[in-house]
Amino acid sequence: MGSSKKVKNKRKHNEIESPEIDDQSINHHKRRISKKDDSGKHKSKKHSNSKKEKKDRKHKKSKKLDTHDKNDKNDEIPFNIFYNYSQALELEHAVTKFMESYNKIIELSPNFKTYQQIDTNKDKIDFQLVPSFSRHKLKFAAEIKSLSELHKPLDLQDLATYETQFDKDEIKPILNNLATEDVRMLEQSKPLAITNDNKLVNSNDILGESKENNEAISTSLEKNWPPELLPIKNIALKSQVFIHKSMVNNKLYLTEKEMLHTHNERLEFLGDSVLNTLMTLIIYKMFPNYDEGQLSSLRIQLINNQKLKEFSQAYDMDKYLKSNVLQDGGAKYFSGKQKMTADIFEAYVGALVEDKSSTLGDIQNWLEKLALPTINECTNTKKGIFEDNNDLNINAKRKLYSLIGYAALELHYQTVQRPSRENPETTVVCKIGDGTILGSGTARNTKLAGLKAAEDVLNKKDIIEKYANQRAAIPRSESSTKASTTANKFPKINSGGEYSENGLTRSHPPISSSVSKVVLGSDGELQMQ
């Protein structure tokens, strides 16, 4: 065993020292050793470099931290700019109101499922509530209530964008955490026990078919008056017609824009213009022979507050007006109520135009039937502004002066009433120098009124005979003299109809031989003899 081992080692030794060993194997062995040494040196160098870089980074970081700490010590935060006493109180108040508002929403609002059902049946709720559904607030409250019932969080970022995303015609939820599938899971909300002393009126009850009181408006109106009222299909517009501005004046939570589209003032403005235009077209076509003055006067009779109030009451519109104006029973209130009642009719006409369910032609035809009794009442009497003046004597003034006129008498015409909105007629009187009024006339303008005043005097035979004989008593040379130089020569007439001249009283004035006598002719007209 031992000898065998010696032989084996000896053989190995001989193999190494043998010249037959391949030089290539030796060289390969050397290269492996050399490569191994180089690799060790590289790793050592790499490790050395990594250690140096790490040390540099640590040094830089330490330096940066030292600099930051140094800056923090030099620039302390001025905390007083974030809070002061009043600001802190405002924030606390805001948070308190925020929590109160949130709790009030949860308490009062139905969930979104109930909101959707009400929104699609607005014609069945009190018409005062309808404008609220055109704003975003009720929908927002219903969505918050729904999240609370579903135990889902409210993303406060939705608050800032909710109003801009709101569309009154869209019934889907807006809040990100409330999906349509969530709404289906909700149960119907239970109504609150709210008491209301006022009778609630829904949109379907406004302007019903009952016309029991229509004939009581005026006995001169036809039995089929008023004509059937044109309907407003847009429920929001119809409700807006009957809401007075006083109902929303004190609602500080509403923006100015929201207020404008809640009460009826804008619709009233539109209706006023439409009424003026359509009534003008109606009478313009109906009376082709009327001049501008007559047409203006007739239009005033059709669109004044008193007449519009009658139109409004004919359809019971005044019964549905919602207003906070104090009903103190005073004259100022009743005057204002007439205006308010007239405004309802104007607002209704404006809503018809906005609704677009009726054309302007439809509205004009309806107004013509409504205004016809008033038109007939104004024009059929043939008095004043609407009198037929075709038979008027255009030479009446000339004829009157030829019978009784002379310089000393100072026959003239004076306008005592000019046209106004309340009374479009003109009144002129015929007077003499001492202020005595001989006659008067009323017409649509001064010229026609003056002619009528002259005709009025001509129709008074006793007046014509008296002043004609008075003129005949004065010599022709004196009758042409101005009144200022002949005042003392002018015979005065006492209460008994007797003439006084130079202290003598006579039953008739002296007749000048140079002037013919005025007598009543067989045809009833005064003539010179």
Side-chain angles (χ1 to χ4, degrees):
M1 181 81 178
S3 60
S4 175
K5 185 175 181 179
K6 289 180 180 179
V7 174
K8 192 173 182 179
N9 290 336
K10 187 176 180 181
R11 188 183 300 121
K12 184 176 180 179
H13 177 72
N14 291 334
E15 287 176 356
I16 293 173
E17 292 181 351
S18 175
E20 297 178 358
I21 294 175
D22 190 0
D23 292 337
Q24 185 177 358
S25 298
I26 296 172
N27 292 336
H28 179 68
H29 180 68
K30 289 180 179 180
R31 283 196 300 273
R32 287 182 60 191
I33 294 173
S34 175
K35 187 175 181 181
K36 186 176 180 181
D37 293 341
D38 291 342
S39 177
K41 291 179 181 180
H42 179 70
K43 285 182 179 181
S44 177
K45 185 177 180 181
K46 185 176 181 181
H47 178 70
S48 177
N49 291 338
S50 177
K51 189 174 182 180
K52 185 176 180 182
E53 290 175 359
K54 187 175 181 181
K55 185 176 181 181
D56 292 341
R57 285 198 301 271
K58 187 175 181 181
H59 177 71
K60 290 179 179 179
K61 185 176 181 181
S62 177
K63 186 176 181 181
K64 184 176 182 181
L65 288 173
D66 291 343
T67 304
H68 184 69
D69 291 341
K70 187 176 180 181
N71 290 336
D72 286 347
K73 291 179 180 179
N74 293 336
D75 300 328
E76 293 184 356
I77 297 175
F79 296 107
N80 61 325
I81 68 172
F82 294 102
Y83 291 103
N84 56 43
Y85 181 70
S86 61
Q87 185 177 4
L89 290 180
E90 285 189 57
L91 285 171
E92 288 184 300
H93 177 73
V95 172
T96 301
K97 297 301 292 183
F98 178 80
M99 295 305 299
E100 288 178 356
S101 299
Y102 178 81
N103 292 331
K104 185 63 68 174
I105 289 172
I106 300 303
E107 176 189 354
L108 296 180
S109 178
N111 61 31
F112 194 69
K113 186 173 187 177
T114 304
Y115 171 88
Q116 285 181 322
Q117 294 175 350
I118 297 173
D119 185 51
T120 54
N121 293 277
K122 291 191 289 289
D123 58 332
K124 298 178 181 179
I125 64 175
D126 185 13
F127 75 88
Q128 293 182 85
L129 299 175
V130 174
S132 296
F133 282 84
S134 63
R135 303 189 287 265
H136 72 283
K137 297 178 177 66
L138 292 186
K139 185 175 183 180
F140 180 59
E143 291 195 47
I144 291 179
K145 177 65 174 286
S146 301
L147 289 178
S148 176
E149 292 183 358
L150 295 169
H151 304 289
K152 284 192 166 190
L154 170 63
D155 187 352
L156 295 180
Q157 292 183 347
D158 291 342
L159 298 176
T161 60
Y162 192 92
E163 184 176 1
T164 58
Q165 297 182 61
F166 174 76
D167 183 353
K168 63 181 180 180
D169 298 321
E170 180 59 65
I171 61 174
K172 294 180 180 179
I174 297 176
L175 295 179
N176 291 325
N177 291 338
L178 185 64
T180 305
E181 294 75 16
D182 297 328
V183 178
R184 297 194 186 101
M185 297 170 59
L186 294 169
E187 295 181 0
Q188 186 69 262
S189 295
K190 295 181 180 179
L192 297 176
I194 299 178
T195 59
N196 195 329
D197 296 333
N198 297 323
K199 180 183 177 182
L200 300 182
V201 180
N202 62 47
S203 298
N204 289 331
D205 293 335
I206 300 178
L207 307 180
E209 296 299 325
S210 177
K211 299 179 181 177
E212 298 175 356
N213 300 323
N214 288 342
E215 294 184 6
I217 301 300
S218 175
T219 56
S220 64
L221 300 176
E222 302 174 4
K223 291 184 178 181
N224 60 349
W225 189 92
E228 184 177 355
L229 184 64
L230 294 177
I232 300 173
K233 295 183 179 180
N234 187 313
I235 298 174
L237 276 174
K238 186 177 181 181
S239 300
Q240 187 178 343
V241 168
F242 300 95
I243 299 178
H244 189 258
K245 185 178 181 179
S246 59
M247 292 295 292
V248 295
N249 266 348
N250 58 344
K251 303 299 186 292
L252 301 179
Y253 56 85
L254 296 178
T255 65
E256 184 177 354
K257 181 180 179 181
E258 289 172 339
M259 288 185 187
L260 286 175
H261 294 278
T262 299
H263 58 75
N264 63 11
E265 276 196 355
R266 279 176 54 85
L267 292 176
E268 173 205 334
F269 170 80
L270 177 61
D272 177 68
S273 299
V274 173
L275 267 172
N276 188 73
T277 300
L278 294 184
M279 287 297 191
T280 300
L281 288 173
I282 290 170
I283 61 177
Y284 182 83
K285 294 180 179 179
M286 191 176 293
F287 300 99
N289 296 325
Y290 274 16
D291 61 19
E292 180 270 342
Q294 289 174 300
L295 292 174
S296 297
S297 299
L298 181 55
R299 182 176 60 191
I300 289 173
Q301 301 303 314
L302 297 174
I303 63 174
N304 63 65
N305 285 337
Q306 178 60 38
K307 183 56 60 178
L308 295 184
K309 176 188 173 183
E310 291 181 12
F311 291 162
S312 181
Q313 290 177 330
Y315 295 104
D316 294 331
M317 292 183 179
D318 56 317
K319 295 182 179 180
Y320 302 101
L321 179 66
K322 294 296 181 180
S323 168
N324 277 334
V325 177
L326 295 176
Q327 301 185 17
D328 56 10
K332 184 177 181 181
Y333 164 71
F334 285 111
S335 175
K337 186 178 181 181
Q338 175 172 299
K339 176 69 165 62
M340 287 164 55
T341 307
D343 289 345
I344 305 171
F345 187 80
E346 291 178 334
Y348 195 90
V349 174
L352 285 175
V353 177
E354 276 283 276
D355 189 46
K356 297 180 181 178
S357 58
S358 301
T359 66
L360 284 176
D362 295 333
I363 300 173
Q364 181 175 334
N365 291 335
W366 166 63
L367 288 175
E368 183 173 346
K369 295 175 183 177
L370 187 63
L372 189 58
T374 304
I375 293 174
N376 291 337
E377 186 178 352
C378 290
T379 58
N380 289 344
T381 55
K382 302 296 182 181
K383 290 183 178 180
I385 191 74
F386 305 111
E387 184 175 5
D388 187 358
N389 294 308
N390 292 332
D391 297 329
L392 187 64
N393 183 3
I394 60 174
N395 295 314
K397 287 185 177 182
R398 183 181 301 175
K399 182 177 181 180
L400 178 62
Y401 193 84
S402 68
L403 292 174
I404 67 172
Y406 58 96
L409 188 63
E410 294 187 18
L411 186 68
H412 65 282
Y413 299 86
Q414 180 181 350
T415 302
V416 295
Q417 178 183 297
R418 298 187 181 278
S420 64
R421 186 173 183 85
E422 292 74 21
N423 189 349
E425 298 177 340
T426 299
T427 300
V428 173
V429 295
C430 178
K431 302 175 67 176
I432 58 176
D434 63 358
T436 302
I437 297 176
L438 304 182
S440 67
T442 299
R444 61 178 180 268
N445 58 46
T446 304
K447 179 180 179 180
L448 294 176
L451 291 174
K452 290 178 69 66
E455 281 194 339
D456 183 41
V457 180
L458 288 172
N459 291 330
K460 298 174 179 179
K461 308 303 182 182
D462 56 333
I463 296 294
I464 295 298
E465 185 175 3
K466 181 177 79 171
Y467 286 100
N469 290 330
Q470 179 178 319
R471 188 184 75 165
I474 303 174
R476 182 178 296 274
S477 59
E478 296 182 4
S479 66
S480 61
T481 308
K482 293 183 179 180
S484 58
T485 61
T486 60
N488 295 329
K489 298 181 181 181
F490 185 73
K492 298 181 180 180
I493 306 172
N494 60 24
S495 59
E498 297 177 328
Y499 295 83
S500 176
E501 183 179 14
N502 298 326
L504 300 176
T505 302
R506 302 173 181 172
S507 59
H508 295 283
I511 304 297
S512 173
S513 59
S514 61
V515 180
S516 301
K517 183 179 180 181
V518 178
V519 297
L520 186 64
S522 58
D523 58 355
E525 293 289 335
L526 293 172
Q527 299 176 354
M528 305 298 293
Q529 193 177 50

